[in-house]
Amino acid sequence: MNTLQPPRPSFKEQMLRAREDAIVEAASRLLGEKGFETMTVDEVAAAVGIAKASLYKHFAGKDDLCSAAMVHVVERLQRFLAALPAELGAMQRLRALLCWTLQLQLADEVPLLPSRNSALAQALRACDAYQASMQEVHACILGWIVEAQAQGQLRRELPPDVILCALLARNSDPMLGMLRDRGYADECIIDWAADTCLSGLASGPAMRVA
């Protein structure tokens, strides 16, 4: 039985998609390096090598562009979560997630959760794609937290939402930059930051999760 195959996108459509992807990638990088308030649409267009008018064919303005960049960041996180080995326990998955977000921060990449009072956060409240993706991410992480609590590895008296927020808050922790300024290697900084965070959430005596 023959099945209908979706039509292949035209060369022009492929080129437009490639250019849009390049714009989003550049916006994500500049968001991490400069922040929403400082980054300009002109800089994004220059980074891609196109005119600003061409950028506006894809995105209505800075809010629209940066919202797309944040959706791209969350989709990257979703791929990371999905790729974690199935044999890892809940606590090991949480540590892997924490270390990954700390690594992103040290690389000056976009934070998953911008400051609640920032203009970017306000724009994201109206971005359905970002909100839906973050809800999926939160549900996944909360499932691991509940599992770790049931196994006695995380403090059961803490609501799962409290632990989730504690983990995500490390994504904008100034501790990382302070330690780097003191000359410590990134690998050590990530390890120490993860340990100090998880030890306060662990059940019983402070524990280190391998």
Side-chain angles (χ1 to χ4, degrees):
M1 179 179 178
N2 294 328
T3 57
L4 294 176
Q5 297 293 328
R8 294 185 59 184
S10 66
F11 178 75
K12 181 179 180 180
E13 290 171 333
Q14 293 180 49
M15 292 298 293
L16 288 173
R17 179 57 186 270
R19 185 168 68 182
E20 184 170 306
D21 290 343
I23 292 170
V24 171
E25 289 279 358
S28 298
R29 185 177 67 256
L30 288 169
L31 266 176
E33 293 174 358
K34 309 191 71 171
F36 178 80
E37 283 74 16
T38 305
M39 188 198 83
T40 67
V41 173
D42 296 84
E43 289 173 323
V44 177
V48 181
I50 61 175
K52 185 164 67 172
S54 297
L55 187 149
Y56 281 125
K57 293 179 181 178
H58 298 271
F59 301 99
K62 184 176 178 179
D63 286 1
D64 189 31
L65 170 60
C66 291
S67 293
M70 291 300 295
V71 170
H72 170 75
V73 171
V74 179
E75 288 174 346
R76 182 181 173 189
L77 170 59
Q78 289 174 309
R79 291 193 295 271
F80 171 81
L81 298 179
L84 288 173
E87 62 271 17
L88 291 182
M91 199 68 173
Q92 291 172 312
R93 290 169 182 256
L94 291 171
R95 183 182 177 89
L97 167 65
L98 179 57
C99 289
W100 186 76
T101 58
L102 294 172
Q103 186 177 15
L104 291 185
Q105 184 183 344
L106 284 170
D108 290 329
E109 298 202 34
V110 185
L112 295 173
L113 297 175
S115 171
R116 292 181 59 85
N117 296 324
S118 71
L120 176 57
Q122 295 176 20
L124 290 174
R125 292 188 188 103
C127 180
D128 293 339
Y130 175 83
Q131 295 297 332
S133 295
M134 284 303 295
Q135 286 179 8
E136 291 181 8
V137 166
H138 287 177
C140 176
I141 300 173
L142 283 170
W144 297 344
I145 292 171
V146 171
E147 183 180 344
Q149 286 179 312
Q151 294 171 351
Q153 295 177 307
L154 288 175
R155 294 167 58 184
R156 295 178 181 176
E157 73 273 16
L158 293 176
D161 276 333
V162 172
I163 297 177
L164 171 66
C165 291
L167 293 172
L168 294 180
R170 278 297 168 104
N171 189 53
S172 56
D173 193 336
M175 170 184 175
L176 278 68
M178 293 169 65
L179 289 175
R180 175 181 270 179
D181 291 342
R182 291 176 178 267
Y184 293 105
D186 287 358
E187 294 80 4
C188 294
I189 295 172
I190 291 171
D191 201 38
W192 293 331
D195 283 348
T196 54
C197 177
L198 292 174
S199 64
L201 300 171
S203 178
M207 59 180 288
R208 188 182 190 281
V209 182

